[in-house]
Amino acid sequence: MRSQHRAPPPYSPDWDGEKLPEYASCSELEPETVAWHMFKYGFFFPLFWAIGVYFLFSPMHVSEDWQSDKTEQEKEIILSEMRQTEAKWAKRCLWALLSFFACIVLLIIAVVISKRH
């Protein structure tokens, strides 16, 4: 006997259990940074990953009129979040660059071995 495919019952609107979290796009969760763009465009031109790695070692500077409508405490919080995001994407650029070089090395080794046989 073949089982029938039925949709599960809908959730009860008066359920008192834990509510599911709402989805948010990534742009709402973290700021766009230069390293994020370098990671994204590195798939088309891997030199961008090397530029993205630079942001691991460079300090982040902002101009005096940056976020002039915010208090100093709010500016520090925003800058801290931006530094964390920048470091995260710069590390991803580093791993992408290392992976790219590893693939190139493996390709060269494969070509050299195949030429010998």
Side-chain angles (χ1 to χ4, degrees), residues 45-76:
F45 187 61
L47 183 61
F48 285 138
W49 287 329
I51 297 168
V53 171
Y54 167 77
F55 293 104
L56 275 175
F57 309 107
S58 67
M60 186 178 284
H61 298 287
V62 294
S63 63
E64 292 294 323
D65 61 343
W66 176 74
Q67 298 283 339
S68 58
D69 58 331
K70 307 275 187 199
T71 65
E72 287 300 318
Q73 186 178 13
E74 290 173 327
K75 286 181 185 180
E76 285 298 319

Side-chain angles (χ1 to χ4, degrees), residues 2 7 14 36 43 83 88 91:
R2 194 171 161 180
D14 57 343
W36 176 76
F43 289 99
R83 283 185 188 128
K88 176 177 76 172
K91 287 176 187 174

Side-chain angles (χ1 to χ4, degrees), residues 17-46:
E18 183 180 349
K19 301 293 181 195
L20 295 175
E22 293 183 20
Y23 291 102
S25 67
C26 290
S27 62
E28 293 176 8
L29 298 177
E30 62 184 22
E32 282 189 19
T33 60
V34 177
W36 176 76
H37 288 285
M38 294 296 109
F39 179 77
K40 183 172 62 170
Y41 295 128
F43 289 99
F44 301 106
F45 187 61

Side-chain angles (χ1 to χ4, degrees), residues 88-108:
K88 176 177 76 172
W89 287 103
K91 287 176 187 174
R92 290 178 180 178
C93 285
L94 175 63
W95 282 110
L97 187 65
L98 291 175
S99 299
F100 177 73
F101 285 145
C103 288
I104 295 296
V105 168
L106 289 174
L107 184 64
I108 290 172

